[in-house]
Amino acid sequence: MEEVENKKYITAEELKEHNKQGDLWISIQGKVYDVTDWAKVHPGGDIPILNLAGQDVTDAFIAYHPGTAWKYLDKFFTGYHLKGFKVSEVSRDYRKLVSEFSKLGLFEKKEHVTLFTLTSVAVMFGIVLYGVLGCTSVWAHLGSAMLLGLLWMQSTYVGHDSGHYEVMSSRGYNKLAQIICGNCLTGISIAWWKWTHNAHHISCNSLEYDPDLQHIPVFAVSSRFFSSMKSCFYGRQLKFDTLSRLLVSYQHWTFYPVLCVARVNLYLQTLLLLFSRRKVPDRAFNIMGILVFWTWFPLLISCLPNWPERVMFVMASFCVCSIQHLQFCLNHFAADVYMGPPNGNDWFEKQTAGTLDISCSTWMDWFFGGLQFQLEHHLFPRLPRAQLRKISPLVIDLCKKHNLPYRSLSFLEANKWTLRTLRTAALQARDLTNPAQNLLWEAVNTHG
């Protein structure tokens, strides 16, 4: 540490020392802040701060916070500035783009997407109830189950949107929308979603830090998982044992069947979090919402005439909703992965490397919930989904300017890429006697 012209400076190496629980410093625009205590009450949870502490996080801060958040930083200022602070050309252009969007008011232009989606969810729910309670035909029951799966997809999109920005007129109504659309209607806790999703965005496609890639023992997108690495998100070892090797060896065959029952794991993860010792925001409201779901859903199923139809109803609804689970996998499984914590200085580069877009017609935007523009969403998570298609050409131009990948695939092509990634890892899992060859194969092919 040194003092120059009445300014105290700290080096990047000294800043890195403040990256542990109980000692968390970050740099934003070259000014150093102590956010140790703030991490405990941070609305986005402590995971983003823990993952990025000890470095400059300007781009991540800009991506996640509106302009009004800057005024709250002063109370965390340590008095130090980051010595040798520089802004890369990529970051400079990215920040300019965010500024332009702000001036145009794009972050506030949500249009009527939420209203239309919530209306469609309410209508679909009414039709599902009528199909089960008012009809005796097995085909009506099957159609109701499929419609329920679509309802879950659309409700999840509203929950997702409300987790990134306010879709309602106030913060209180926004929280209510989260509980209703997430917990009450889908049975998946918004608290669990925020916990994992914020970590995913910050550490996009880091094998050790991104929970959305950590699916051992069922799936492995990289042979690096074969070394039983430690998950820095879950704080435990992802043990690659005999069972894991067996399942991963055939993952390109089991991929779609597993996705059809993936919701069972999400229900389990929700319960594990809500009844854990971990600090959970609004735990009581989340538990109440989950109780609502586990009241109406079993009751609805019990109204079907026999067990074969009940099983059919559950599986049909799960299978339809699995399209959404598939979409999330397509956006990241075949993209580049990396080891280690996220780096705040290459925000734009990491997001472009770790995401794939799904190309589709405008009339299909409602079906994908805007998340087919995955890169645009990752770069500008506060941007309403109604704006993602509009700003996509600007992102493409910026990627071209800096020679960064912009990959937009058809739905079919994205499936092929994902299956190829899974098959590559599966074949490597069958031949663990030659780990050097496995790593060479991976280095030469898809993952960097």
Side-chain angles (χ1 to χ4, degrees):
M1 301 179 185
E2 61 180 87
E3 186 171 339
V4 180
E5 296 179 354
N6 297 323
K7 275 189 177 183
K8 295 187 294 184
Y9 286 90
I10 185 174
T11 66
E13 289 71 24
E14 290 171 324
L15 180 60
K16 285 180 182 179
E17 297 176 2
H18 300 275
N19 66 347
K20 305 173 186 66
Q21 188 88 43
D23 183 18
L24 302 169
W25 288 19
I26 58 174
S27 164
I28 299 175
Q29 291 282 51
K31 297 179 71 174
V32 179
Y33 302 93
D34 183 349
V35 291
T36 304
D37 294 329
W38 175 241
K40 302 173 185 176
V41 293
H42 181 231
D46 60 347
I47 294 295
I49 295 178
L50 286 169
N51 286 354
L52 291 173
Q55 57 183 311
D56 184 81
V57 300
T58 305
D59 286 343
F61 182 85
I62 289 174
Y64 272 94
H65 300 83
T68 54
W70 289 85
K71 63 184 178 183
Y72 297 106
L73 289 175
D74 287 343
K75 60 183 178 182
F76 304 117
F77 184 46
T78 62
Y80 291 104
H81 293 76
L82 186 61
K83 186 176 182 179
F85 172 72
K86 294 180 181 179
V87 181
S88 69
E89 287 301 315
V90 179
S91 291
R92 199 182 305 276
D93 286 343
Y94 169 68
R95 297 172 193 180
K96 181 180 179 181
L97 209 52
V98 174
S99 177
E100 291 177 358
F101 293 166
S102 296
K103 291 177 181 177
L104 293 172
L106 296 187
F107 292 105
E108 286 73 43
K109 292 181 178 179
K110 302 158 191 175
E111 300 184 5
H112 301 293
V113 172
T114 302
L115 176 62
F116 293 149
T117 305
L118 288 177
T119 301
S120 69
V121 167
V123 170
M124 284 189 286
F125 195 66
I127 295 174
V128 169
L129 292 178
Y130 176 77
V132 173
L133 303 177
C135 300
T136 58
S137 169
V138 65
W139 295 108
H141 296 162
L142 177 61
S144 298
M146 296 174 69
L147 191 61
L148 180 59
L150 184 60
L151 180 158
W152 282 338
M153 291 175 61
Q154 295 302 316
S155 185
T156 297
Y157 290 141
V158 176
H160 174 271
D161 292 347
S162 64
H164 279 292
Y165 53 89
E166 288 191 11
V167 300
M168 308 300 282
S169 58
S170 69
R171 182 172 297 180
Y173 284 126
N174 197 68
K175 184 177 293 186
L176 180 63
Q178 293 174 350
I179 296 295
I180 292 176
C181 293
N183 300 48
C184 296
L185 286 178
T186 71
I188 300 171
S189 168
I190 190 67
W192 172 84
W193 176 85
K194 285 183 177 180
W195 179 48
T196 60
H197 197 67
N198 286 337
H200 160 67
H201 267 268
I202 292 295
S203 53
C204 178
N205 273 34
S206 166
L207 296 179
E208 296 165 292
Y209 286 81
D210 186 352
D212 283 11
L213 292 186
Q214 298 173 355
H215 301 294
I216 296 294
V218 184
F219 298 138
V221 298
S222 168
S223 62
R224 297 174 189 262
F225 281 113
F226 302 166
S227 60
S228 297
M229 72 171 63
K230 180 182 178 181
S231 166
C232 294
F233 176 79
Y234 293 109
R236 58 178 172 81
Q237 188 179 35
L238 302 175
K239 191 174 181 181
F240 190 78
D241 52 18
T242 303
L243 176 62
S244 301
R245 180 180 178 184
L246 174 63
L247 294 176
V248 169
S249 293
Y250 297 95
Q251 62 181 358
H252 52 304
W253 293 105
T254 61
F255 179 57
Y256 297 113
V258 168
L259 288 183
C260 289
V261 293
R263 295 191 72 78
V264 175
N265 178 55
L266 300 185
Y267 296 147
L268 178 61
Q269 293 299 322
T270 285
L271 296 176
L272 288 175
L273 175 64
L274 293 184
F275 294 98
S276 70
R277 295 181 178 179
R278 182 179 178 82
K279 183 180 179 181
V280 179
D282 302 311
R283 187 192 301 267
F285 286 114
N286 275 268
I287 292 177
M288 289 173 59
I290 295 301
L291 289 176
V292 170
F293 173 81
W294 286 111
T295 298
W296 74 259
F297 186 51
L299 281 176
L300 184 66
I301 296 172
S302 69
C303 293
L304 293 167
N306 52 62
W307 276 105
E309 284 200 29
R310 292 167 187 161
V311 173
M312 175 200 71
F313 186 91
V314 172
M315 289 307 302
S317 60
F318 280 18
C319 287
V320 170
C321 196
S322 70
I323 298 174
Q324 188 175 65
H325 306 317
L326 172 63
Q327 178 190 349
F328 298 153
C329 295
L330 299 183
N331 289 140
H332 295 286
F333 273 24
D336 297 342
V337 299
Y338 67 98
M339 296 288 289
N343 189 333
N345 293 325
D346 58 1
W347 172 261
F348 195 95
E349 295 92 322
K350 277 294 192 296
Q351 304 302 328
T352 56
T355 56
L356 298 175
D357 280 8
I358 308 297
S359 60
C360 71
S361 302
T362 54
W363 65 273
M364 284 293 287
D365 285 356
W366 70 274
F367 184 78
F368 290 110
L371 297 183
Q372 73 275 27
F373 295 106
Q374 189 70 192
L375 174 56
E376 290 79 359
H377 169 61
H378 267 254
L379 290 173
F380 312 100
R382 293 187 300 108
L383 196 67
R385 64 164 120 156
Q387 307 300 330
L388 295 177
R389 183 177 287 275
K390 300 174 185 177
I391 63 99
S392 180
L394 299 177
V395 174
I396 294 174
D397 290 342
L398 195 55
C399 288
K400 287 181 178 178
K401 177 180 178 180
H402 295 286
N403 197 28
L404 294 170
Y406 182 92
R407 294 163 291 197
S408 183
L409 310 175
S410 68
F411 188 76
L412 178 60
E413 194 66 22
N415 275 270
K416 291 180 179 178
W417 278 41
T418 299
L419 288 176
R420 185 164 61 238
T421 298
L422 293 174
R423 183 177 181 275
T424 298
L427 296 180
Q428 292 171 331
R430 298 178 190 179
D431 185 23
L432 289 181
T433 58
N434 194 352
Q437 181 177 342
N438 290 341
L439 291 175
L440 179 61
W441 173 276
E442 181 171 318
V444 171
N445 283 271
T446 57
H447 294 70

